[in-house]
Amino acid sequence: MSTVERSGHEPFIRMSKRGEMLPAGKAWGIRVLGFFLSLVVSGVVIIAISGLNPAAVFATMATGAFGSAKTSWVTIRDAMTLLCIAVGLAPAFKMRFWNIGAEGQILVGGIATAACMIYLKALPAPLLMLVMILASMIAGGLWGFFPGLFKARWNTNETLFTLMMNYIAIQLTSFFVATWENPYGSNSVGIINMQKKQGWLPNLFSQGYNGDYGWNVVIVLLVTLVMYLYMNHSKHGYEIAVIGDSENTARYAGIRVNRAYVRTIVLSGAICGLAGFVAVSGASHTISTSTAGGRGFTAIIVAWLAQFNSVVMIIFSFLLVVLQKGAQAIASAYNLSQEVSQIMTGIILFFLLGSEFFVNYTIHFRGKKVAS
Amino acid sequence: MENITKRFGKVVANDHINLELREGEILSLLGENGSGKTTLMNMLSGIYFPDEGQIYVHGRPVTIASPKDAFDNGIGIIHQHFKLVDVFTATENIVLGLEGEGKFDLKAAGAKIAEICARYGFDIKPDQKIYDMSVSQKQTVEIVKVLYRGADVLILDEPTAVLTPQETDKLFDIMRAMKKDGKSLIIITHKLHEVLDVSDRVVVLRKGEYIGDVATKDADQQSLTDMMVGRSVSLNIDRPLPKDPKPRLEVKNLTVYDELGVKRLDDVSFTANSGEILGIAGVAGSGQKELLESISGLYPIRSGSIVFHDPDSGQDRELVGMDPLDIRKAGVGMAFVPEDRLGMGLVGSMGMTGNMMLRSWRQGKGPFINRKKPEQLANDIWQELEVVTPSTAFPVRRMSGGNVQKVLVGREIAQEPAVLMTAYAVRGLDINTSYTIYNLLTREKMKGIAVVYVGEDLDVLLELCDRLVVLCGGQVSGVVDARTITKEEVGLLMTQHRKEGA
């Protein structure tokens, strides 16, 4: 092949789309590489702003997330809650239904759970558990039903609608906090059923409560698995994928789009409501306006990063929770503000999203021959 | 252009291509889909950058790394899809995006545009709004836009696809006028008679390689096709007589309105018979899309009736008021190849298998989907229609246009329908694939299926179909025998109402 002399004004750098899909192994290699690069950059940033040894900082972060059995369980517990929300959001987002309302759906699920704990504590424990699960899912589903119905009927904007539903849920929570206030004047519900622990999710591997969070793991992983099958192998899952790609194609294929919208958003809300149950019965045993704590939004990132694959979401939920726990640890150990963790999260997400670019595009530098 | 090479991954889209465009000539660029015509032109207009090779303008080596570089070198492209702002006037659209010092003088620009129009015989008014214009006038605005920016090399990408025969003739006159003025033009088209009609020289590409160039006067349709395909191809569409035609689908007094309350179909009536191909002719946007979507239950119908005569049971079924699912459940075998292939007929992000399931996903009991049969069907179509794809899981969005269409048509035919409707089934497809599709449709016709073929190329409509329904402004302006009517007569029917209105 003859080398044509270029007149030297080729652009220094240019990019082009890859002609074919990268094999999955290579694509994941790029993503892992991106993750490690992000750690390097985070390390540099830590040195630059604090002068600390980044290795020590990373070690502290690891201890903060997995230092003892107890901290490890808390990390796992929080990752599971986040995973549950992300798994719930995925069907809606895959259908291009922008469910920004997970916060509200978690809260109403939490309210329903707390209400069962307070009013139905006389029920036998397994039955109470079942009732709480159902109640939380119905409440969350209801919170999804209205935006879904309005979207299907009058084509309202679901982003705004679900967002507004969050505020209603927050106000509703305030109302119930005031109703169930305990002790009087504390402006909080306090730990519900402190004495007899009715409606508390028990330990799986031992007697008692709060020792391990095995049941949280079992419930959430079960939901994850079921949703994986639902999304990838069921007729409904297929409908969701088609609608997300093109509504016209869906109508052409005889899919009743409006019905699918309502059904899917109700399901999405129900699983987020279940996350409210996991958060209240399986973790905090109380309800407050911060029960959701922004996780309804963080979970959106998890769902998108995993490209709606429920199993991949496990990795990303852990990643985000570990980062958060580690950041809290370095904040207290080195007297750094917690914003450092936000910077690090930002850097890591930037690199992870950036690796998607390299999965889809190649870069050519000037003068370099493109390999045939 | 010298030794131009462009690769996408492993695919070589252009392999050491040398192309010379002389001053004051019209050059046709001919090649099948995926032969690299568009890629080559995109490198001239600054959308892609060549991996190897050098572009010269007037003998000077130049770098074209952006559309602006292209303009600076006097190269302008007129895309198939217009890029105009509807609510602006012609002048405003033409000067849009131009940088100038100080206050912009719209009047002076208008005068310059009027001067350009007068020189080449364009019939647009500079202060007419785009939304008031016909398709051909919009195209004219695009051409003037390029000329205004001082282009002396014009690239027209399938400019005739949206035009009536009469409008095409007018465009060709304009092209000849520009040529006389010393401009150089490159025209991309799939229609061979147009190539022979307008161009001076033809360059043929095949699979990314430069095959050769011939002076148009030494070429004919057969020789060009053979060059393009690389072997001898029969250019005759086989048209057997209709087989035992019986009414299969009767449309009566169909009237529909769009979302904005504009009448799209006005009292349309016709019958599609079994065992024949019924062509629907008309200028783009005359109601073809609405007609097919109404029949398949996708468009709200104001009034009228659509009756399906079931060949198995002999019963009649009224389709108005049914949605696509109702139609399927009622056992009406209706196949539809819509105009918007990826936006309606297929799911772009899925592979062939996923797209086969669009028609079969509901089958089988239980909540889970059956992938085995669609996978089998995908493999059959892959082999039988020679679809070029790495696997049945490869997203159809990333296939080339011809292969996308093979997937879609293959799936629809595999349903063994009673009625097969196709909208612009060969739009953007090369000769070889087009003939594959024509043959498939004729095969379906001989199986006793009622085929409805919406097309834009009159030559094909007249060669392929048995009868033609001509639409004009949402009304039927004629139902004619395709074997006896002439192209000119159909052209007149297509524009009848516009003439009456003027």
Side-chain angles (χ1 to χ4, degrees):
Chain A
M1 192 195 294
S2 70
T3 309
V4 182
E5 197 57 47
R6 290 279 181 82
S7 357
H9 39 217
E10 184 188 342
F12 175 65
I13 191 168
R14 64 203 162 74
M15 51 232 158
S16 58
K17 205 156 183 150
R18 287 185 195 274
E20 54 205 65
M21 284 193 295
L22 270 186
K26 246 186 171 171
W28 279 102
I30 291 178
R31 291 182 190 125
V32 170
L33 193 72
F35 178 65
F36 279 107
L37 273 176
S38 70
L39 290 186
V40 172
V41 173
S42 307
V44 172
V45 170
I46 289 170
I47 300 177
I49 60 178
S50 66
L52 294 167
N53 176 3
V57 172
F58 284 131
T60 312
M61 288 182 75
T63 327
F66 298 109
S68 66
K70 181 150 177 71
T71 50
S72 298
W73 271 119
V74 171
T75 303
I76 291 171
R77 176 194 79 189
D78 288 356
M80 284 302 133
T81 313
L82 188 61
L83 175 63
C84 187
I85 306 164
V87 166
L89 286 176
F93 276 97
K94 183 148 191 190
M95 207 172 54
R96 297 290 178 271
F97 184 105
W98 294 78
N99 181 9
I100 312 292
E103 287 285 293
Q105 291 148 14
I106 299 163
L107 278 178
V108 293
I111 294 174
T113 308
C116 294
M117 288 166 84
I118 291 168
Y119 298 117
L120 302 175
K121 57 183 150 199
L123 288 180
L127 184 61
L128 177 57
M129 227 21 102
L130 204 65
V131 170
M132 288 196 309
I133 288 175
L134 283 177
S136 66
M137 291 183 75
I138 289 168
L142 200 66
W143 232 241
F145 173 73
F146 292 111
L149 182 73
F150 274 68
K151 164 101 176 171
R153 273 280 159 79
W154 297 287
N155 198 24
T156 52
N157 182 316
E158 75 275 12
T159 315
L160 284 174
F161 206 123
T162 49
L163 192 67
M164 293 305 180
M165 293 292 279
N166 287 345
Y167 295 108
I168 301 177
I170 290 172
Q171 295 306 322
L172 212 56
T173 312
S174 301
F175 170 77
F176 281 109
V177 167
T179 312
W180 297 330
E181 204 177 34
N182 181 28
Y184 186 75
S186 67
N187 198 25
S188 84
V189 178
I191 304 294
I192 303 169
N193 301 346
M194 189 66 185
Q195 262 89 42
K196 296 198 174 157
K197 307 201 169 15
Q198 297 98 324
W200 288 32
L201 213 48
N203 288 349
L204 176 64
F205 302 109
S206 58
Q207 288 293 313
Y209 301 91
N210 291 347
D212 64 54
Y213 293 99
W215 278 113
N216 298 34
V217 177
V218 169
I219 291 171
V220 175
L221 284 188
L222 197 68
V223 171
T224 307
L225 183 72
V226 169
M227 286 309 289
Y228 180 83
L229 292 176
Y230 180 79
M231 295 288 283
N232 293 295
H233 296 284
S234 79
K235 291 175 180 172
H236 286 180
Y238 182 74
E239 290 185 19
I240 290 170
V242 174
I243 295 172
D245 193 281
S246 158
E247 228 179 87
N248 272 336
T249 305
R251 294 201 305 131
Y252 165 88
I255 294 171
R256 293 199 163 130
V257 177
N258 285 343
R259 205 176 286 181
Y261 264 130
V262 176
R263 185 212 311 139
T264 308
I265 183 65
V266 166
L267 177 71
S268 175
I271 297 176
C272 291
L274 182 71
F277 158 80
V278 173
V280 170
S281 165
S284 70
H285 314 300
T286 184
I287 179 86
S288 76
T289 48
S290 60
T291 294
R295 287 182 284 193
F297 299 113
T298 314
I300 297 175
I301 304 177
V302 174
W304 276 94
L305 277 176
Q307 285 156 11
F308 313 123
N309 182 327
S310 331
V311 175
V312 180
M313 281 181 224
I314 300 176
I315 302 171
F316 286 108
S317 320
F318 266 101
L319 180 72
L320 289 183
V321 170
V322 166
L323 274 174
Q324 192 195 352
K325 298 282 169 201
Q328 283 162 3
I330 54 171
S332 60
Y334 300 105
N335 233 348
L336 291 175
S337 97
Q338 286 221 15
E339 267 67 43
V340 174
S341 78
Q342 311 240 343
I343 294 176
M344 287 186 56
T345 313
I347 292 173
I348 290 172
L349 289 182
F350 179 82
F351 273 80
L352 285 178
L353 294 172
S355 26
E356 295 309 308
F357 173 83
F358 289 97
V359 169
N360 290 313
Y361 291 84
T362 48
I363 298 274
H364 310 287
F365 290 102
R366 170 156 65 201
K368 252 201 166 163
K369 286 256 126 208
V370 183
S372 359
Chain B
M1 298 179 91
E2 199 177 276
N3 274 325
I4 296 290
T5 299
K6 177 75 192 173
R7 300 190 187 86
F8 296 105
K10 277 185 198 146
V11 182
V12 184
N14 285 155
D15 191 3
H16 296 93
I17 292 192
N18 293 289
L19 181 78
E20 190 189 61
L21 177 65
R22 295 168 199 148
E23 237 168 83
E25 78 164 347
I26 299 178
L27 179 72
S28 280
L29 196 54
L30 207 56
E32 301 194 79
N33 290 111
S35 60
K37 303 179 300 279
T38 313
T39 309
L40 194 64
M41 291 304 109
N42 279 342
M43 281 189 279
L44 265 186
S45 52
I47 293 168
Y48 293 149
F49 192 85
D51 292 330
E52 280 171 41
Q54 180 65 53
I55 298 171
Y56 299 89
V57 174
H58 297 303
R60 258 181 322 107
V62 294
T63 304
I64 300 177
S66 71
K68 188 179 172 298
D69 289 349
F71 270 127
D72 291 345
N73 284 300
I75 300 170
I77 188 159
I78 291 104
H79 291 279
Q80 207 177 340
H81 304 283
F82 308 137
K83 295 162 171 33
L84 298 169
V85 184
D86 259 3
V87 293
F88 280 10
T89 64
T91 307
E92 285 165 340
N93 266 289
I94 288 163
V95 299
L96 194 68
L98 285 179
E99 289 166 25
E101 303 251 317
K103 218 174 122 191
F104 201 87
D105 190 352
L106 212 54
K107 257 194 199 140
K112 189 174 162 196
I113 290 164
E115 190 257 326
I116 293 175
C117 290
R119 179 143 47 125
Y120 300 112
F122 294 128
D123 71 334
I124 54 163
K125 294 184 201 85
D127 45 9
Q128 194 179 0
K129 301 264 195 213
I130 299 297
Y131 58 74
D132 275 339
M133 292 185 176
S134 70
V135 177
S136 121
Q137 283 173 315
K138 287 180 193 173
Q139 188 177 53
T140 308
V141 175
E142 287 280 6
I143 297 174
V144 175
K145 187 157 95 181
V146 168
L147 289 173
Y148 184 88
R149 281 153 208 233
D152 45 30
V153 176
L154 284 90
I155 303 166
L156 296 108
D157 189 0
E158 298 201 31
T160 58
V162 287
L163 303 180
T164 63
Q166 285 82 358
E167 287 168 334
T168 303
D169 285 343
K170 218 156 93 189
L171 173 71
F172 286 173
D173 286 341
I174 288 170
M175 287 175 66
R176 289 188 195 101
M178 291 194 281
K179 177 176 91 173
K180 233 175 244 159
D181 201 45
K183 307 272 182 207
S184 309
L185 296 103
I186 299 179
I187 176 170
I188 301 179
T189 172
H190 284 300
K191 299 178 193 167
L192 290 174
H193 62 94
E194 294 178 355
V195 170
L196 296 171
D197 185 8
V198 76
S199 66
D200 302 307
R201 208 154 55 88
V202 187
V203 164
V204 179
L205 300 184
R206 190 200 313 150
K207 294 188 175 141
E209 282 175 54
Y210 180 89
I211 299 304
D213 72 318
V214 284
T216 307
K217 59 177 170 27
D218 303 330
D220 58 34
Q221 295 211 1
Q222 191 64 50
S223 69
L224 289 176
T225 312
D226 295 351
M227 259 175 105
M228 225 172 10
V229 182
R231 59 190 153 82
S232 204
V233 182
S234 161
L235 272 186
N236 292 316
I237 302 174
D238 184 32
R239 177 167 54 180
L241 282 169
K243 191 185 150 197
D244 186 23
K246 288 209 178 77
R248 175 70 52 89
L249 192 69
E250 251 176 280
V251 175
K252 269 187 227 139
N253 312 103
L254 189 67
T255 301
V256 307
Y257 289 77
D258 67 10
E259 289 171 332
L260 301 172
V262 179
K263 206 186 248 187
R264 289 292 168 188
L265 288 178
D266 186 3
D267 201 23
V268 168
S269 302
F270 64 87
T271 306
N273 294 327
S274 61
E276 73 165 15
I277 299 183
L278 178 72
I280 311 264
V283 183
S286 301
Q288 296 96 324
K289 176 172 170 273
E290 289 80 1
L291 178 60
L292 296 196
E293 289 186 8
S294 301
I295 295 173
S296 35
L298 290 163
Y299 210 88
I301 292 164
R302 181 68 63 93
S303 62
S305 98
I306 301 166
V307 175
F308 172 77
H309 302 284
D310 195 323
D312 298 329
S313 64
Q315 281 179 335
D316 290 355
R317 262 184 191 287
E318 174 61 56
L319 300 185
V320 171
M322 286 188 172
D323 74 2
L325 187 60
D326 296 328
I327 292 176
R328 295 197 80 70
K329 280 188 176 159
V332 177
M334 179 122 47
F336 178 27
V337 177
E339 177 183 359
D340 188 355
R341 294 163 199 166
L342 289 172
M344 180 173 264
L346 297 167
V347 186
S349 58
M350 292 185 186
M352 282 180 73
T353 307
N355 276 295
M356 295 304 128
M357 293 195 302
L358 273 185
R359 286 301 190 198
S360 62
W361 61 278
R362 204 165 265 282
Q363 285 169 11
K365 280 189 184 149
F368 291 106
I369 212 154
N370 179 4
R371 269 175 205 277
K372 281 230 178 76
K373 267 195 235 160
E375 177 76 46
Q376 186 55 47
L377 180 58
N379 275 311
D380 291 349
I381 290 174
W382 189 8
Q383 276 166 17
E384 198 183 320
L385 299 184
E386 295 167 359
V387 180
V388 181
T389 176
S391 76
T392 51
F394 188 76
V396 293
R397 178 175 291 137
R398 299 177 69 169
M399 295 182 188
S400 75
N403 288 308
V404 168
Q405 186 69 330
K406 282 182 187 172
V407 175
L408 179 52
V409 172
R411 183 192 70 203
E412 289 306 296
I413 289 178
Q415 296 187 68
E416 299 183 344
V419 178
L420 170 62
M421 298 187 291
T422 65
Y424 306 108
V426 298
R427 177 182 282 175
L429 303 193
D430 57 60
I431 300 233
N432 218 4
T433 318
S434 298
Y435 276 77
T436 309
I437 305 262
Y438 300 147
N439 290 336
L440 282 173
L441 295 182
T442 305
R443 202 180 76 192
E444 292 305 295
K445 155 180 151 183
M446 294 321 284
K447 280 190 201 159
I449 287 161
V451 180
V452 178
Y453 177 89
V454 171
E456 48 200 345
D457 188 334
L458 282 184
D459 295 284
V460 171
L461 279 166
L462 292 175
E463 269 184 70
L464 174 73
C465 303
D466 300 300
R467 287 185 307 138
L468 283 184
V469 170
V470 187
L471 283 180
C472 176
Q475 295 181 331
V476 174
S477 56
V479 180
V480 294
D481 182 352
R483 283 184 173 79
T484 51
I485 197 160
T486 66
K487 202 170 142 186
E488 283 67 31
E489 285 165 331
V490 177
L492 281 175
L493 284 172
M494 279 164 71
T495 50
Q496 194 183 47
H497 288 266
R498 275 204 283 190
K499 283 222 173 107
E500 281 171 5

